[in-house]
Amino acid sequence: MAYVHITILFTAALLIIIGLYSAIFIDNIIKKIIGISFIEEGVNLFIVALGYAPDGVVPIIMPGMDPAWFAANAAYPLPFGLVLTSIVIGASTLAVMLALVMVLYRRYGTLSTKVMLADTSKQEEYNE
Amino acid sequence: MNELIPLMVIVPLMAGLLISAFSKFNKATKIFAFVVAICLPIIPLASNYGLHYFGGYEPIMDNVTNVMFHPAITYSFTFLQQIFIGMIGILTFLVVFIYLTKYKEVSGPYLFLLFLGTAAVTAMLLTDDIFHMFVFFEILALAQVGIVAASSIDYSYEMALKYMILGSIGSPIMLLGIGFLLALTGSVNVTDIAYAVHNGLVNITSPVFLLSLGLIFFGWLYASGLPPFHTIKSGIYSKAEPHGAALLQSFTVISMISIVLIMFRIYSVLPIFEVLVVFFSILAMILGVSLALTQTDFRRMIGFLAVGELGFIGLGIGLGTPYAITAGLFQALNEIIITALLFIGFGAIVNATNEVDTRKLGGLLAYHPKVSIMLLIGGLAMAGVPPLSGFQSKLMLVQASLSCGYPEISILAIMVSIATFVVFVKTFYTMFLRPKPNDLEVEGKDVPRAMVFAMGILLIIIVLLGIFPDIVIKGISTFVGGIL
Amino acid sequence: MLEFILMIIMVGSAILALIQKDLLKAAILTGFSAGAIAFLFQLLLAPDVALTQAIVGAVIVPVFIALAVKKTQRSDG
Amino acid sequence: MKLYDQIFNVVKQFRKLFSPGPVTNADVSGSITAEIFLIVSLVLSAILLRHVSVLLAGLVALILAVVLISNIPLIPKFKIEQEDSLEKMLFYAVVTLCIIAVFLYWGGNLV
């Protein structure tokens, strides 16, 4: 199972790199947001892998378990608690971003980042 | 156990939720928001110093290794937290007051966002738990985006979306750094991590520890708007309503110092930490001020100046001596007040003329003498003219860098102050002193009374801190002696 | 063995979602990726996280994206 | 005469900075201040390298000064790189992240 542990860390790193790649090179804004959300998922996967105990048990104590055996074999539950919060925050951030995209699409009629989120400081200064 | 400490976070959070839920009743909402806003600065002043363990789980002594560890989320409340939370409370009160008097129909969600941001920064300052801080950091980012998007200024949605996309890179990277620390120490409590690092339980030369510094540092750059995030930070200031911008910059300053203090407690054993902080602070000072000199939109200009001033705070922390850190924290306190004054003052001008381009303004001294005099004093305080509060903290910083053996940094700090002064004099001349352009209409429009009142209160604080800096410096230096 | 298959599904569907021309397909592929991660969490002894991830990541987020696609445009162009 | 012409050209090029709308006295003087401030402060912060090696600091400061002065006006070029478009912001953010990570991983113990 040790191979699995290391491979999971590599997978998490791969997801983060996919996210950073899509942040720079993808033009469509919805796909860019999807890509960036992979960074969050990679980080979550990494933190869950921290708490993993090879050949261990789920960190829920059942009646009839010996506490000493449980403490030696259970996975570390603190990272799991962190990831729970992180997942929900990620989803809400994504929802807000998509809502802003929907509003902006009505104004621009395109999903291209180069058009939608270009430099606006010049236009607004001398228009009024 | 001090029961008032968690109330500092819970009161604004619950008040925001209630206001958002019952915003139909306009009058009741207004009164309720006003009462809560008055309570915000009073709670920290009435509270005693101490620690609060959530759930009542006291620290446990491990008998095998003789190490104390903290199972609960801990809030620690000292003089530093008191003064900063009190200041944020006063600022929130003024901003809410301006907002309530400006509009007949108040929007519940907007007030919710203001209170949510205040609760988030308060929790970030109080907490001793690095993941707890991260959660409130994310909540703060959402609140900031909401405040920007709620403004009626052109292109505010675009700026909010840009800020969110950059944030969704910055925050997970910071979480990754926290994960690295968790992997090394098995804890998220800052006191425990700092104990493990300073007592040799963690190999401080290992690449994992160094990389965790780099990743959390990147998140800090995003939180505080140092380069490469200075453009977006100044952008969101200029796209928010003026009173919102005054609160936004205080959120930035507080999140900056709360994260950097946590980083300082953990990473002060690594010399590279100080090098990194000083490098990015100098970069922020140079870029912020030189870009502020070329702006024509005065809101954007104040935004860049605010970013440049953040460099001074970073400089104080990066030099690493107790005196320098005290100077940096004092500078942070001054910056919150001064920049809020400038944002509210320039917002009053926008309110009166509907114009943000300095090239189209002029001759406003005759129309709004009160606002212009207060703005002048605020600008002088930011540039560091005695006897105002900016002078005291900048003098302390220059002395600190001289006594550390870095005269170049002192010269640079003085040069940045002079350039700030130039920016301010230039803007003041173009907006207030030179003859009024013919197509500018100012008659009949008045500055809201609440804005003048808020500026007056902030100005009193600036002058008081400038003449009697010792009331703050003593307490801050005691706090700094505690964390070193 | 199951872990490796899940990892391949995860990374594969992530990459496929990003090279897709049809945004609705991209949304569904995001769901696949998140579902694979949820399975992986279960295998990593975190059933509570797995449940949350399965609901939030594999159902709610793709629905949000699909709604956004429906309100804007479907093809990437 | 040559230097005067060069500085005059610099002022002319500032017009691009404020392209829609007029260029006022105050704006040009502000831009020239920014130009001088940028050169002096970058050279000054290069001198901070003397804590690593005095020779390196001298060389870097000299080269930086020559490169910066021969490339005036800097501010227009500088401002283009720091405009509001998301592309540039994301690019610089990711590049900074990579530089910090690489520098700390391999060079973190050298300081």
Side-chain angles (χ1 to χ4, degrees):
Chain A
M1 287 297 269
Y3 290 114
V4 175
H5 208 160
I6 289 173
T7 334
I8 282 175
L9 296 188
F10 271 106
T11 318
L14 203 58
L15 277 179
I16 293 171
I17 289 169
I18 289 173
L20 289 179
Y21 173 87
S22 68
I24 296 187
F25 291 105
I26 288 186
D27 188 44
N28 186 295
I29 185 77
I30 289 185
K31 271 206 233 169
K32 197 172 221 160
I33 289 171
I34 293 174
I36 289 174
S37 76
F38 288 138
I39 300 181
E40 180 101 26
E41 300 202 339
V43 172
N44 288 344
L45 187 59
F46 167 73
I47 294 181
V48 167
L50 289 182
Y52 175 61
D55 303 324
V57 293
V58 172
I60 300 169
I61 193 155
M62 295 289 185
M65 273 183 177
D66 178 20
W69 177 86
F70 178 77
N73 280 294
Y76 186 42
L78 177 63
F80 302 163
L82 308 190
V83 170
L84 272 181
T85 324
S86 166
I87 288 172
V88 177
I89 291 175
S92 51
T93 315
L94 190 94
V96 176
M97 282 199 283
L98 289 174
L100 284 172
V101 167
M102 282 194 262
V103 174
L104 287 180
Y105 180 79
R106 242 176 273 157
R107 191 178 302 165
Y108 290 94
T110 171
L111 287 177
S112 168
T113 316
K114 281 188 186 115
V115 180
M116 193 188 265
L117 297 175
D119 180 22
T120 52
S121 59
K122 278 277 158 63
Q123 288 103 302
E124 77 195 275
E125 266 175 27
Y126 219 77
N127 265 352
E128 293 177 36
Chain B
M1 279 304 252
N2 195 331
E3 300 303 336
L4 277 178
I5 293 173
L7 277 187
M8 289 172 216
V9 182
I10 293 168
V11 166
L13 210 57
M14 289 312 293
L17 286 173
L18 284 177
I19 288 170
S20 166
F22 296 106
S23 58
K24 272 187 297 185
F25 310 105
N26 193 29
K27 191 93 182 192
T29 308
K30 270 187 164 180
I31 294 168
F32 183 60
F34 188 74
V35 170
V36 172
I38 285 186
C39 288
L40 287 182
I42 294 174
I43 299 173
L45 294 180
S47 175
N48 297 325
Y49 300 150
L51 297 169
H52 182 90
Y53 306 108
F54 272 85
Y57 297 105
E58 304 271 338
I60 303 171
M61 180 75 111
D62 187 346
N63 289 326
V64 184
T65 51
N66 251 357
V67 179
M68 190 87 104
F69 67 93
H70 300 74
I73 291 171
T74 311
Y75 274 4
S76 79
F77 184 68
T78 61
F79 178 77
L80 184 88
Q81 277 86 9
Q82 186 177 33
I83 188 85
F84 275 102
I85 295 171
M87 204 52 78
I88 282 288
I90 292 174
L91 205 58
T92 313
F93 164 66
L94 292 175
V95 167
V96 169
F97 181 58
I98 290 173
Y99 178 72
L100 290 181
T101 48
K102 191 175 174 188
Y103 297 102
K104 278 224 169 65
E105 288 281 315
V106 294
S107 135
Y110 189 71
L111 283 169
F112 167 65
L113 289 170
L114 295 181
F115 282 125
L116 184 70
T118 308
V121 285
T122 310
M124 282 176 78
L125 261 177
L126 283 172
T127 186
D128 198 25
D129 183 294
I130 195 163
F131 185 75
H132 193 76
M133 186 207 68
F134 173 78
V135 171
F136 275 102
F137 168 62
E138 287 271 22
I139 292 173
L140 178 66
L142 283 175
Q144 282 174 323
V145 166
I147 291 173
V148 174
S151 80
S152 55
I153 299 169
D154 292 350
Y155 302 108
S156 65
Y157 282 133
E158 281 91 337
M159 204 52 97
L161 184 56
K162 284 174 198 169
Y163 187 67
M164 277 213 102
I165 290 179
L166 283 169
S168 54
I169 292 180
S171 337
I173 295 293
M174 189 167 167
L175 183 60
L176 189 62
I178 293 172
F180 278 17
L181 271 184
L182 182 65
L184 281 173
T185 59
S187 169
V188 285
N189 187 288
V190 180
T191 313
D192 293 353
I193 296 174
Y195 182 87
V197 169
H198 288 279
N199 288 287
L201 301 178
V202 171
N203 177 14
I204 61 163
T205 56
S206 76
V208 179
F209 188 64
L210 288 167
L211 211 52
S212 76
L213 165 63
L215 298 173
I216 296 181
F217 189 83
F218 185 77
W220 177 67
L221 288 183
Y222 160 68
S224 56
L226 298 181
F229 296 105
H230 57 297
T231 42
I232 185 71
K233 263 296 184 218
S234 56
I236 68 162
Y237 293 157
S238 68
K239 292 291 176 285
E241 297 273 343
H243 48 269
L247 207 54
L248 282 181
Q249 61 84 22
S250 72
F251 292 166
T252 307
V253 175
I254 300 276
S255 56
M256 172 182 190
I257 61 163
S258 54
I259 300 175
V260 85
L261 281 178
I262 286 177
M263 280 183 5
F264 186 83
R265 280 163 67 190
I266 296 172
Y267 295 108
S268 58
V269 284
L270 291 174
I272 189 140
F273 168 65
E274 294 171 359
V275 175
L276 270 181
V277 174
V278 168
F279 178 78
F280 278 95
S281 304
I282 289 178
L283 210 59
M285 275 153 57
I286 295 174
L287 293 183
V289 174
S290 60
L291 285 171
L293 274 166
T294 60
Q295 297 298 320
T296 50
D297 176 354
F298 56 79
R299 288 173 312 187
R300 198 66 194 265
M301 185 204 77
I302 300 291
F304 273 119
L305 273 189
V307 171
E309 294 292 300
L310 286 176
F312 281 96
I313 308 170
L315 209 58
I317 309 283
L319 288 173
T321 59
Y323 190 71
I325 297 173
T326 312
L329 292 175
F330 185 40
Q331 165 74 18
L333 186 65
N334 289 336
E335 200 199 323
I336 290 175
I337 308 162
I338 296 169
T339 320
L341 169 66
L342 291 183
F343 272 119
I344 293 175
F346 281 108
I349 298 296
V350 179
N351 221 320
T353 59
N354 262 334
E355 191 58 67
V356 294
D357 196 328
T358 50
R359 288 170 293 183
K360 290 185 186 171
L361 289 168
L364 290 173
L365 186 64
Y367 296 93
H368 304 293
K370 262 186 261 170
V371 176
S372 56
I373 295 295
M374 286 196 230
L375 269 180
L376 181 64
I377 298 176
L380 293 182
M382 187 181 238
V385 173
L388 301 164
S389 63
F391 166 71
Q392 301 285 355
S393 55
K394 286 191 177 171
L395 183 67
M396 278 175 82
L397 272 170
V398 169
Q399 281 176 349
S401 58
L402 275 179
S403 62
C404 288
Y406 298 106
E408 305 92 331
I409 292 181
S410 323
I411 300 172
L412 205 65
I414 294 170
M415 268 177 51
V416 172
S417 293
I418 295 172
T420 311
F421 189 74
V422 172
V423 176
F424 205 77
V425 168
K426 174 187 150 238
T427 317
F428 193 78
Y429 166 72
T430 49
M431 284 173 65
F432 294 103
L433 296 181
R434 74 168 180 192
K436 188 171 84 74
N438 288 331
D439 48 350
L440 181 71
E441 292 173 12
V442 281
E443 274 90 358
K445 289 177 191 163
D446 209 14
V447 174
R449 283 259 181 76
M451 279 187 163
V452 179
F453 169 73
M455 287 171 75
I457 290 197
L458 293 172
L459 204 61
I460 291 170
I461 301 175
I462 289 175
V463 175
L464 267 184
L465 280 181
I467 299 174
F468 309 108
D470 281 342
I471 35 178
V472 179
I473 289 176
K474 269 204 189 116
I476 294 180
S477 61
T478 323
F479 169 82
V480 171
I483 63 166
L484 275 175
Chain C
M1 198 57 216
L2 185 58
E3 294 89 350
F4 293 108
I5 296 171
L6 285 174
M7 284 180 231
I8 291 168
I9 291 175
M10 198 166 76
V11 176
S13 55
I15 293 174
L16 274 179
L18 292 179
I19 59 174
Q20 212 59 238
K21 278 280 170 213
D22 186 352
L23 289 177
L24 209 55
K25 280 183 191 161
I28 294 163
L29 283 166
T30 318
F32 273 135
S33 175
I37 293 185
F39 259 108
L40 212 54
F41 285 165
Q42 173 69 36
L43 294 176
L44 288 171
L45 305 177
D48 44 349
V49 186
L51 274 176
T52 319
Q53 172 76 12
I55 294 166
V56 173
V59 180
I60 295 178
V61 167
V63 168
F64 278 166
I65 297 172
L67 274 179
V69 170
K70 189 165 180 293
K71 290 269 180 187
T72 56
Q73 67 182 28
R74 193 167 163 178
S75 70
D76 166 22
Chain D
M1 204 55 201
K2 195 157 173 287
L3 190 64
Y4 174 79
D5 282 343
Q6 203 179 355
I7 291 173
F8 190 67
N9 274 329
V10 166
V11 174
K12 269 189 185 164
Q13 288 192 36
F14 281 148
R15 195 175 295 168
K16 265 186 256 161
L17 266 179
F18 307 98
S19 58
V23 186
T24 58
N25 260 337
D27 289 331
V28 171
S29 59
S31 301
I32 292 177
T33 318
E35 189 90 37
I36 297 167
F37 173 76
L38 195 65
I39 294 171
V40 175
S41 54
L42 283 177
V43 172
L44 201 65
S45 39
I47 297 177
L48 271 176
L49 280 174
R50 79 188 162 92
H51 295 279
V52 183
S53 142
V54 177
L55 190 65
L56 184 70
L59 273 179
V60 170
L62 262 181
I63 294 172
L64 201 62
V66 170
V67 169
L68 288 181
I69 291 175
S70 59
N71 271 321
I72 51 174
L74 294 165
I75 288 289
K77 299 166 195 162
F78 216 65
K79 220 178 154 190
I80 284 174
E81 287 307 309
Q82 306 182 52
E83 59 179 26
D84 275 355
S85 77
L86 184 71
E87 306 269 306
K88 282 197 171 128
M89 289 182 195
L90 275 175
F91 174 74
Y92 281 109
V94 174
V95 164
T96 313
L97 172 64
C98 297
I99 289 175
I100 289 178
V102 168
F103 177 65
L104 278 174
Y105 192 87
W106 277 288
N109 287 320
L110 298 180
V111 178

